[in-house]
Amino acid sequence: MGLLSSLAHPEEVVALLKFKFGGCETVMPKCDFSTMPPTRRRCYEFLKMTSRSFAAVIQALEGDLRDAVCIFYLVLRALDTVEDDMTIPIDVKVPMLKAFYTHLRESDWRFMESNEKDKMVLEEFPVIATEFQALAPIYQTVISDICQQMGEGMTIYLDQSPDSMDDWNEYCHYVAGLVGIGLSRLFSASAMEDTVVGEDTRLANSMGLFLQKTNIIRDFLEDVLQEREFWPKEAWGKYGKKMLELSRPEKRGDAVACLNELITNALHHIPDVLTYMSRLRNQSIFNFCAIPQVMAVATLERCYNNPAVFAGVVKIRKGEAVKMMMEATTMDSVKAIFSHFTTHIKERIPPNDPSVVTTRAIVDRTLTLTKVEQPYVSTSAYYPLYVSCAMLMGAIVWQYWTGISNVVNNVSSS
Ligand code: D9A
């Protein structure tokens, strides 16, 4: 959603201006590339090309963890680009995904036949492999291990969509849970976080599932129009024979009931996400982990009970995203943000929604877990102030205008 949408939310305009004019150095200090070897500098260019907003958060990570996460991110983006490329035939793609991790230790492997937008990470893969081989051995082991597991897992769901809710959890584990597990092992390996962070794979997996399920829910229309079906059949199968049927206007009621069921399922990862975040000790790692999670809960609130999900991609406002990005730096502010959006969901649970009981239960549990002194202040709290300012401005302009027209009238009549 463009910048203009934040105009009606002055505190988001403030956040955007602060972000624009460097008010977020604390959250994302600039890092100097001048001293870097050219291959490493090229990797950070790839990072910026593949995810502008997120690149800055990775660059803010401290010590040798920054390069490790940068390379991990690019390797995952390369694997993802192979998985997403519908022009690669399955009998070529399966061995490619299974053998992908072996190319990390080669010097000249590259793939020149991709038609995807991020194909440069495959065409210039030797640059990434060079920087991978320059990482500390413990980081190399983690990244290679995760790529092997993810490549294997991706082949299972290449030609089939998740059927049961367990399948959905398994698919999301392979493409996102393993990322959470891998990052957590990198955090502990850097000694900037306790070993428990890397060992508790259940919580780390939930960090991935909450993000991936949110993306799959939000991107329903974009995906189904490309015949990519990531919603579990156990959910949409109750309302039709084909997932695409949910996009029909006459099916909106059923579609929204299915949407609310999947959002309710995703909300069950919040207790794990909060426990995971509460264990982090390094500020740059906390920010890195918190930002995507608060964006996800805000996106789920925006999608909840919202028929617009079946007519286009529902997104949170840029200003709202920047405001959260700058505020999600402590456990209390993260709890306040989760509480804010969970409260908004609670206010909008339709009493006749099939998931009403389950939704109310997880929402109440989340509100209990996120009780904090300082609530997250968003637009609504400022409305009275904005309205009075707007009225004041209006009065001043009116005064000024009537003053001018009187002078004009006097001059013209004299
Ligand atoms: C992440 Cl190294 C992702 N994914 C994200 C981004 O956040 C997670 C891909 C590679 C890496 C990390 C992420 C961040 C911090 C801690 C994490 C974690 O775990 C402990 O992953 C679980 O979405 C992709 C997966 C969800 C598949 C894992 C955030 C990101 N956001 C995009 C916006 C978007 O909507 O995709 O990339 C962006 O900001 O451009």
Side-chain angles (χ1 to χ4, degrees):
M1 220 194 251
L3 292 180
L4 288 181
S5 59
S6 285
L7 277 183
H9 309 266
E11 89 284 351
E12 291 175 19
V13 175
V14 174
L16 283 164
L17 293 171
K18 266 198 205 160
F19 186 69
K20 190 97 197 82
F21 301 106
C24 58
E25 284 304 318
T26 51
V27 180
M28 288 177 273
K30 290 268 170 294
C31 65
D32 110 58
F33 299 101
S34 57
T35 56
M36 273 183 192
T39 45
R40 192 160 311 159
R41 202 172 26 251
R42 184 74 179 131
C43 286
Y44 281 96
E45 283 160 17
F46 287 152
L47 197 59
K48 265 198 269 217
M49 285 187 250
T50 54
S51 150
R52 177 155 295 290
S53 59
F54 201 55
V57 187
I58 292 179
Q59 284 162 35
L61 289 168
E62 289 161 23
D64 62 358
L65 184 66
R66 186 186 62 200
D67 294 344
V69 172
C70 172
I71 299 305
F72 188 35
Y73 187 92
L74 295 176
V75 169
L76 292 168
R77 187 53 69 133
L79 193 55
D80 217 33
T81 304
V82 172
E83 186 214 18
D84 289 352
D85 193 331
M86 304 303 228
T87 68
I88 303 174
I90 292 263
D91 59 347
V92 175
K93 197 182 280 190
V94 168
M96 263 185 87
L97 291 172
K98 287 182 181 241
F100 191 87
Y101 75 101
T102 63
H103 306 317
L104 293 168
R105 299 185 193 291
E106 292 165 5
S107 57
D108 58 357
W109 182 88
R110 62 180 77 232
F111 183 73
M112 305 307 285
E113 287 81 42
S114 173
N115 303 298
E116 294 287 299
K117 78 173 175 52
D118 294 332
K119 63 185 180 178
M120 73 282 187
V121 293
L122 291 171
E123 294 173 350
E124 296 186 52
F125 195 80
V127 170
I128 298 171
T130 302
E131 286 305 316
F132 169 83
Q133 291 154 28
L135 294 173
I138 180 63
Y139 293 147
Q140 294 187 30
T141 306
V142 171
I143 295 172
S144 171
D145 179 28
I146 293 295
C147 280
Q148 183 177 9
Q149 293 181 58
M150 187 181 285
E152 288 288 337
M154 281 173 164
T155 60
I156 298 170
Y157 286 93
L158 275 183
D159 53 2
Q160 59 165 328
S161 301
D163 199 63
S164 67
M165 298 308 263
D166 286 350
D167 285 350
W168 202 38
N169 288 335
E170 184 190 44
Y171 171 73
C172 292
H173 164 70
Y174 287 130
V175 298
L178 284 172
V179 176
I181 291 169
L183 283 168
S184 306
R185 288 169 59 188
L186 294 178
F187 298 159
S188 294
S190 74
M192 288 194 274
E193 296 296 348
D194 295 350
T195 51
V196 69
V197 172
E199 285 154 4
D200 194 330
T201 53
R202 197 198 100 117
L203 298 186
N205 188 58
S206 292
M207 290 288 281
L209 266 62
F210 189 63
L211 298 183
Q212 185 65 22
K213 287 182 177 181
T214 300
N215 293 348
I216 289 175
I217 290 166
R218 175 200 63 198
D219 300 341
F220 167 86
L221 195 66
E222 194 179 84
D223 287 338
V224 80
L225 294 180
Q226 294 172 32
E227 286 152 23
R228 292 145 50 96
E229 299 192 351
F230 298 121
W231 282 25
K233 186 163 187 221
E234 183 181 326
W236 61 262
K238 295 196 282 281
Y239 306 103
K241 294 198 183 21
K242 294 281 301 144
M243 189 171 141
L244 182 62
E245 290 172 29
L246 287 184
S247 63
R248 292 210 206 112
E250 71 273 14
K251 284 273 205 174
R252 234 5 83 81
D254 290 346
V256 169
C258 184
L259 170 68
N260 292 350
E261 178 187 347
L262 293 183
I263 291 177
T264 300
N265 174 287
L267 293 176
H268 284 81
H269 297 294
I270 293 178
D272 283 356
V273 164
L274 295 171
T275 308
Y276 181 95
M277 299 295 302
S278 66
R279 288 178 177 170
L280 298 177
R281 295 289 164 272
N282 176 278
Q283 185 67 56
S284 71
I285 293 175
F286 184 91
N287 301 347
F288 172 65
C289 292
I291 290 169
Q293 301 297 330
V294 294
M295 300 294 176
V297 73
T299 302
L300 285 181
E301 189 276 326
R302 191 56 35 90
C303 292
Y304 184 74
N305 205 44
N306 184 355
V309 168
F310 301 97
V313 175
V314 170
K315 282 194 176 303
I316 56 179
R317 294 183 302 276
K318 179 90 178 131
E320 207 169 11
V322 168
K323 184 172 183 301
M324 287 190 285
M325 191 186 271
M326 296 164 79
E327 288 190 27
T329 57
T330 67
M331 202 53 215
D332 275 0
S333 61
V334 165
K335 282 182 176 176
I337 294 170
F338 270 83
S339 175
H340 172 80
F341 289 105
T342 306
T343 303
H344 276 267
I345 289 176
K346 180 168 184 169
E347 291 157 355
R348 295 191 296 114
I349 301 174
N352 60 351
D353 184 78
S355 308
V356 60
V357 175
T358 322
T359 310
R360 284 206 179 114
I362 186 59
V363 158
D364 290 342
R365 181 161 172 231
T366 300
L367 292 176
T368 309
L369 291 169
T370 56
K371 271 199 181 24
V372 284
E373 302 309 307
Q374 181 55 38
Y376 174 67
V377 179
S378 92
T379 310
S380 49
Y382 283 101
Y383 261 141
L385 178 66
Y386 303 149
V387 173
S388 45
C389 288
M391 287 167 71
L392 185 64
M393 291 295 286
I396 294 166
V397 169
W398 177 247
Q399 277 296 7
Y400 182 71
W401 187 247
T402 48
I404 291 219
S405 54
N406 291 347
V407 171
V408 171
N409 297 344
N410 299 349
V411 171
S412 58
S413 58
S414 60

